[in-house]
Structure formats: C-alpha cells, structure tokens
Amino acid sequence: MRRILLTLIAASVLGLTGIYTMRAAPENNQVAVILRKFTKPHTNLPDQPDEWRGRIHYAQLDQQFAAMAQRSEMAGLAIAIVEDGELRFVRTYGVIDRDTNAPVTLNTVFRWASVSKTVAGTLAATLANEGLVDLDSPVARYDTTLRLPEGAETRVSFQQLLSQQTGLTKNAFDERLEDGQDPRVLRTSLASAPLQCPPGSCHTYQNIAFDAATEILEQVAQRSYPDAVSERFFLPLGMNSANFGMAGLTNAKDWARPHNGRMVRTVKETYWRVPAAAGVESNIVDFARWMQATMGDRPDVLAQSTLRIAQSPRVNTAPIYGGELRQANSEAHYGLGWRSFKYDGHLLLGHSGAVDGYRATMIFDPASRVGVVAMWNSNWGTPFRIPFAVFDSYHKRTDSRWLELD
C-alpha cells in the first residue's frame, strides 16, 4: 500500500510541475527528490558480525575486505552480499576522501558506471513486455541522433543496439566524449567511424552508441529517461539514494570522491552525459536492492518474463575481465545491457563498470540466488575479484585465492 501511495504522490507532483518534458540528463531528478522525502531510511541491516548468517564465511571475508581497503591503491569500499535471496552482509571500509579521511558509511553514494546498462536494458524489456516497444524494430524507426556506417541504423534493431551489436570498433569515440564533446553530435558522427565487423554480426562494446537507448526509451515512455527509471524502478523498490547526473552525486550529503591511488581526482561530468550507458549512482544498500529485484525478488516491480527478456543471451562475447579472472570464466554472452558467463560450472549474471576514480560490480548466481555488489572510489581493478571469492566461499572451495593480495 505504501508503494502505491508513493507512486501516486510522485506522479501527481510530476504532472503539476510539467516534468514529463523530455531531457537527456537533468541536473536533478525530480522523482528522486520526491522519493527521498517520502521514503524511510533502511533499518535492521546486517552490518555487524553477530548478524551474519549463512553458508558463506563472512568473518573471514570481512578481514580480507578490510585488508584490501588499506592498500595504497584504494580509498573506500562498500560491499553487500545476498545469500539465498536475502541480504546477509553489508559493510563499508576506508574513506570517501583521503584529504579528510572521512569514512565510508552505508549512506555513501558511489557511481555505478556501466552497471547502469542493466537499468536501461531492463527498462527496455519492461516496455517490450507491455507491448510499448518492439525490440526487433530498427533503430531508425525512432527519432535518434545515432547514425551508423552505410546507414546501418536502418538495419540494426533496438535489441541489437542494447546487446552491443552495432559493429563499431570497441568504445568508439569515447575519447572524444571524455574531451567534452556532445554525445548527440558524436552519435551522428559515428556514421564515419571504423567498423570491427558488419553491423549485427558480432559484439563490440559501446557507450555513445548504446546511449541512443536514452533517446528511444524517452520517446516510448513519454518521460525523461531518469524519471521513467525512477517511476518504474527506484521509487517502488525504495531506492531512495539512487539518482542520475553529476549533481545527484555531489549534492548528496555523503558521497565518495574519486581517487587514483592516494590522489583525489576532479569529478567530471563526462559519462553522466550518456545516462543509459553510465548514469546511475546510489549507496550500497540501494545497489543491493537493485540486484535483489533483478534476481527475481520483486515480481511486483520486475516480472520474471521481463527479466528473461533483459537477461537472456543474445550474442557471444570474448571472456570478460583480464588476467586470471579472464582465464577463469567461459561461455560469455551479452543480453540487453546484461552480461552472462560461467564460472566454476555456474551461470552468473550481472555487469561491471569503470569511470575515472570509480569502479562497481554486480554479479549473481540465479540458481543459488547468491550475489555480490561492490563499489569503490579508486581506479584499482583487483576488487573485481570480490564476487568470485564470495562464490568460492558459498561453494566451500578450499583453494580460493582471489583475495590473497601478495
């Protein structure tokens, strides 16, 4: 009843303020503002050792996480673990700012980076499940700024866009986005970009092209993209810290500053300008709530049929990550903004992401309903190993060495 009431309040205020006007990446998401006013803070969280229950050896992992956070490559770290579908562990380590040594808390807001793509893919799947969008229609059916070599936007479908099958070379024109160029202009310029393969025939990871999803989803939902996401997902899931845009991070009372080693970095707007690709931020508890919902814990918000559409593999990819992690996974695929692969014989779903000074990962096993979300405010890649150490603990592997940092 409370969720319905909150949704009605948000919709009423949106109508009064005329906020349904579409915009790509607003400085402040009005639905999220309403959300924070009417949503109670999270309570009774398993953030203390006497609250950790389950197969996973949480005390041992806690010590390893703490040791990792003390490394010179790190600043702060937030981790949540779901076991058998329930939040069993949530903990923070280190600092939000090495200049002040203010600690990370459960309320600290971090960036999701490319994990944001799971939101875009899930929204597209939701609208497709409702018959509001045809995933097999070509991108050119919609009024987008995306232009592909040889007019391929007339052949590449919306689902191929979301599963990274544009054929463009990996991360095409990202360096121009980082130089401050308008992503809408860059999407049009992709018509002259080099191809890695014929469009629709292979997986090539993108940000600028992928964010044409923002334009399509706004047209279909008749809302700004951030407001559509907030109405459909963040508000009913009680994700009161989740937001879009640079101001959504820096206006938070408690937010993690980006770091490279011991150096505090300057926050840059760059990838917030492609919200479907990399626009979300939240605290660790709300990140865990998103994972639980996408594991099937909230069918009132995300139906199983919607999750199947979003998460089903649509194209083969190379093994993900690098080094030992790359060697440890196989059968990698990409869905609608979702990765899937096998580790130790188990199918895993999720995504990871990186922008300057921030990293994030969300990986779960849909069979056992065990999953991990982690965010940290540094450029160090080693914490991407954390979920695999957790899965090893759950499956009682005695040879796990992922968190041995020596």
Side-chain angles (χ1 to χ4, degrees):
M1 184 65 187
R2 179 179 177 79
R3 183 178 70 81
I4 296 173
L5 178 60
L6 291 176
T7 303
L8 291 173
I9 292 171
S12 299
V13 175
L14 286 172
L16 291 172
T17 58
I19 198 116
Y20 289 166
T21 302
M22 291 185 290
R23 56 195 184 279
E27 280 298 293
N28 208 350
N29 178 1
Q30 296 299 313
V31 175
V33 171
I34 296 167
L35 180 98
R36 283 190 289 272
K37 288 182 178 179
F38 289 95
T39 305
K40 293 181 179 179
H42 304 300
T43 56
N44 300 321
L45 297 171
D47 59 346
Q48 298 300 320
D50 61 354
E51 300 171 310
W52 301 335
R53 300 284 188 274
R55 287 169 51 91
I56 296 170
H57 198 326
Y58 292 110
Q60 180 182 32
L61 289 169
D62 177 52
Q63 293 177 358
Q64 293 174 311
F65 299 156
M68 176 177 285
Q70 292 300 311
R71 292 284 293 248
S72 61
E73 299 93 337
M74 289 289 284
L77 174 66
I79 301 171
I81 300 173
V82 168
E83 184 177 346
D84 297 331
E86 297 180 3
L87 183 64
R88 299 285 181 85
F89 175 98
V90 59
R91 196 79 155 170
T92 61
Y93 310 86
V95 298
I96 64 172
D97 186 339
R98 281 195 175 275
D99 290 343
T100 66
N101 286 323
V104 178
T105 74
L106 297 182
N107 293 317
T108 300
V109 176
F110 292 81
R111 296 183 67 175
W112 290 19
S114 284
V115 185
S116 304
K117 292 181 175 71
T118 65
V119 178
T122 305
L123 179 58
T126 299
L127 297 175
N129 206 26
E130 295 174 2
L132 297 176
V133 67
D134 182 359
L135 294 172
D136 293 321
S137 293
V139 172
R141 174 179 175 180
Y142 303 94
D143 183 19
T144 79
T145 57
L146 180 63
R147 300 293 180 269
L148 296 173
E150 301 178 358
E153 69 274 7
T154 63
R155 303 186 299 277
V156 170
S157 67
F158 187 23
Q159 68 92 3
Q160 288 176 319
L161 173 73
L162 290 168
S163 56
Q164 307 279 20
Q165 297 183 68
T166 59
L168 297 164
T169 54
K170 183 180 177 181
N171 295 101
F173 292 178
D174 275 8
E175 74 284 355
R176 301 186 189 185
L177 181 67
E178 292 170 3
D179 287 340
Q181 295 186 38
D182 188 331
R184 295 168 296 182
V185 174
L186 292 176
R187 269 194 289 276
T188 300
S189 300
L190 287 171
S192 61
L195 289 172
Q196 181 172 316
C197 65
S201 67
C202 75
H203 173 270
T204 64
Y205 193 82
Q206 305 295 318
N207 287 305
I208 297 165
F210 183 94
D211 196 60
T214 292
E215 299 173 319
I216 295 173
L217 293 170
E218 286 185 335
Q219 292 170 49
V220 174
Q222 299 183 356
R223 307 280 192 276
S224 75
Y225 176 72
D227 287 342
V229 169
S230 291
E231 282 184 28
R232 294 213 174 229
F233 301 150
F234 296 166
L235 177 61
L237 292 174
M239 296 170 59
N240 57 317
S241 71
N243 210 341
F244 284 87
M246 182 168 154
L249 179 77
T250 59
N251 286 349
K253 293 181 179 179
D254 183 352
W255 63 281
R257 277 62 170 174
H259 291 72
N260 187 37
R262 295 187 176 276
M263 182 184 302
V264 180
R265 306 283 285 176
T266 301
V267 180
K268 297 180 180 179
E269 189 179 9
T270 304
Y271 285 97
W272 276 300
R273 298 167 71 194
V274 285
V280 181
E281 62 259 346
S282 82
N283 63 32
I284 191 63
V285 179
D286 287 338
F287 199 16
R289 284 181 179 269
W290 174 247
M291 180 174 68
Q292 287 177 285
T294 57
M295 292 170 76
D297 184 61
R298 290 293 304 272
D300 56 320
V301 179
L302 288 175
Q304 284 292 343
S305 54
T306 292
L307 295 176
R308 281 194 297 270
I309 293 170
Q311 297 170 356
S312 294
R314 295 172 185 266
V315 61
N316 296 334
T317 78
I320 63 173
Y321 301 109
E324 292 177 281
L325 275 182
R326 186 179 184 87
Q327 298 171 20
N329 73 85
S330 62
E331 299 181 40
H333 298 85
Y334 208 87
L336 302 185
W338 281 86
R339 290 193 181 277
S340 60
F341 58 95
K342 283 193 174 179
Y343 168 70
D344 195 28
H346 301 279
L347 174 67
L348 303 180
L349 299 175
H351 213 293
S352 297
V355 293
D356 187 27
Y358 298 95
R359 299 290 186 269
T361 189
M362 176 184 73
I363 305 290
F364 64 85
D365 178 349
S368 63
R369 299 178 71 217
V370 171
V372 183
V373 286
M375 297 184 286
W376 58 104
N377 53 330
S378 80
N379 288 328
W380 198 31
T382 297
F384 285 123
R385 297 180 175 194
I386 288 171
F388 302 92
V390 173
F391 295 130
D392 285 353
S393 181
Y394 180 80
H395 292 291
K396 304 301 181 183
R397 286 192 57 166
T398 58
D399 60 343
S400 184
R401 299 290 184 270
W402 293 118
L403 300 184
E404 290 186 359
L405 302 180
D406 293 340

